[in-house]
Amino acid sequence: MAFLPTYRHILETKSSSSSSSSSSSSLFILLIPLTISHLTLTSAQSSICRTSCGEIPINYPFGIDDGCGNPYYRHLLACPSGHLELRTPSGRFPVRSISYSDPHILISDPFMWNCLDGNNFRPTRPFSLDTSTPFSLSSQNNYLFFNCSPNHVIMKPKTMFCKQFPDKCDSSCDTASYLCRQLPECASALGSSSCCSYYPKATESLRLMLKYCASYASVYWRNTGDTPPYDQVPEYGIRVDFEIPVTASCLRCQDATKGGGRCGFDTQTQSFLCLCDKGNATTNCKDVNISWHGKKIIGAVAGSVTAVSFAGAIGIGAGIWYLRKLKAKAPVTHGVQSNENRLF
């Protein structure tokens, strides 16, 4: 190790009258910080896995501490000062809630239009998601665009064009939509400004639409649990859907009869770990063959039990990526007119 020659050099410069026992004591004291650091890295991670941020519960597959949850969700959530945030390519956005039964995250975009803005449209930025992550924009979102240019945005359905070129046809930005006529919380806030409703088929749509529109707002339909058709109400915000990867290793780890551990991963190899009160396991918290301390358990993860679960997680991720790649091939106009979809 790099520090040992330096330590020997220090010993050689000491007085020859120093006893061998004091030299051994000095070496022991010098090694204590390294030993503590090593035990910190390999000790139980369950003690540092926070289960909430503010009032929002943090459960699998998420983690706001490194090594907790699923590695595919690593660093996607942050909890500065007790306020949960979602990291995206377009910035950090406040998280309002997380649902694990109907997997989705509700976030707020402080840059988009709100009722207090009225006709005063502030500079905005398009919300975007990294397509390599397990997140996707929910189909329950509706996007409202304000003061769009009719020369650049598809404002009216082009029936004849769609019949002749169905592969190049895209939905229009509907000016007569229910949400434009009944803006949530402030029906008459826009005054004389125009509004149209359009659901983007790709995240690129938002950026292109905002080139020709003054601002936008996202509205999602919240389920109230009432009897249909009164079971959904529109609210401002963005719903982001996510998948919960399920592996046999994680299910064994979480089994209450086997100790009820938390699913996590090795921060260096990203291999599966079962996080228990006494240490990290490769199977479950009641495994009699567990070595609770030292590097042995970390090394065992990479090449034995969790290889199957980690490969399974990779398979799930690859399947999601492949499906999204197929969807990306579908032609879209992003709601904007071009030479390919314009009627002359």
Side-chain angles (χ1 to χ4, degrees):
M1 299 177 66
F3 72 92
L4 288 178
T6 305
Y7 180 73
R8 291 195 183 100
H9 177 72
I10 295 173
L11 289 180
E12 289 171 359
T13 58
K14 288 182 178 291
S15 171
S16 58
S17 62
S18 298
S19 65
S20 60
S21 61
S22 66
S23 298
S24 301
S25 299
S26 300
L27 179 61
F28 176 75
I29 293 172
L30 185 63
L31 289 175
I32 285 178
L34 294 172
T35 304
I36 293 175
S37 175
H38 174 70
L39 290 177
T40 301
L41 290 174
T42 58
S43 63
Q45 290 178 298
S46 59
S47 60
I48 64 169
C49 291
R50 286 172 287 176
T51 58
S52 65
C53 178
E55 297 182 354
I56 301 177
I58 306 298
N59 301 327
Y60 182 84
F62 295 115
I64 51 178
D65 300 295
D66 206 8
C68 306
N70 188 283
Y72 287 105
Y73 291 82
R74 189 178 188 180
H75 305 317
L76 295 180
L77 293 180
C79 184
S81 305
H83 300 285
L84 191 62
E85 295 177 341
L86 174 67
R87 291 188 175 110
T88 78
S90 51
R92 291 189 176 191
F93 295 86
V95 175
R96 292 164 54 180
S97 64
I98 300 178
S99 171
Y100 297 94
S101 56
D102 176 20
H104 69 270
I105 299 176
L106 293 179
I107 66 172
S108 300
D109 182 357
F111 290 91
M112 71 183 187
W113 181 90
N114 61 60
C115 290
L116 296 178
D117 290 339
N119 288 306
N120 299 316
F121 300 109
R122 298 172 291 122
T124 187
R125 64 182 180 185
F127 174 80
S128 65
L129 289 174
D130 184 351
T131 56
S132 66
T133 65
F135 293 135
S136 61
L137 287 173
S138 173
S139 59
Q140 295 188 31
N141 293 326
N142 283 99
Y143 289 85
L144 303 180
F145 295 91
F146 308 112
N147 276 7
C148 298
S149 167
N151 294 327
H152 296 92
V153 176
I154 304 174
M155 306 292 287
K156 296 181 180 179
K158 298 182 176 181
T159 308
M160 293 179 59
F161 178 83
C162 292
K163 287 182 179 180
Q164 188 175 0
F165 305 103
D167 58 328
K168 297 181 180 179
C169 184
D170 198 7
S171 58
S172 61
C173 197
D174 185 7
T175 56
S177 69
Y178 169 81
L179 290 175
C180 279
R181 291 182 287 108
Q182 299 290 332
L183 286 172
E185 303 173 16
C186 50
S188 58
L190 282 179
S192 59
S193 299
S194 65
C195 168
C196 64
S197 176
Y198 172 70
Y199 175 71
K201 293 185 178 180
T203 54
E204 180 72 1
S205 298
L206 279 176
R207 186 184 68 82
L208 290 176
M209 289 286 285
L210 285 176
K211 288 179 63 176
Y212 307 110
C213 301
S215 187
Y216 88 106
S218 175
V219 178
Y220 73 95
W221 292 88
R222 180 175 62 85
N223 196 319
T224 63
D226 294 335
T227 304
Y230 307 104
D231 58 336
Q232 291 186 327
V233 294
E235 291 187 1
Y236 294 105
I238 302 175
R239 170 173 165 148
V240 177
D241 293 339
F242 64 90
E243 299 95 3
I244 300 180
V246 178
T247 65
S249 297
C250 185
L251 293 177
R252 282 196 301 267
C253 172
Q254 293 176 328
D255 190 344
T257 63
K258 297 180 180 179
R262 293 174 61 85
C263 300
F265 58 94
D266 186 318
T267 56
Q268 295 182 346
T269 66
Q270 298 193 26
S271 301
F272 175 80
L273 283 179
C274 185
L275 311 181
C276 310
D277 292 335
K278 297 181 180 180
N280 302 335
T282 58
T283 53
N284 60 71
C285 296
K286 287 191 175 181
D287 192 332
V288 295
N289 297 317
I290 288 177
S291 175
W292 293 111
H293 301 288
K295 273 191 175 181
K296 180 178 179 182
I297 193 163
I298 300 297
V301 174
S304 60
V305 179
T306 58
V308 175
S309 63
F310 190 55
I314 292 176
I316 293 173
I320 294 170
W321 173 83
Y322 179 72
L323 289 175
R324 287 180 178 165
K325 188 174 181 181
L326 289 179
K327 290 181 180 179
K329 292 182 179 180
V332 293
T333 64
H334 306 292
V336 177
Q337 295 188 108
S338 65
N339 291 334
E340 287 74 24
N341 63 18
R342 192 189 307 274
L343 284 179
F344 296 99

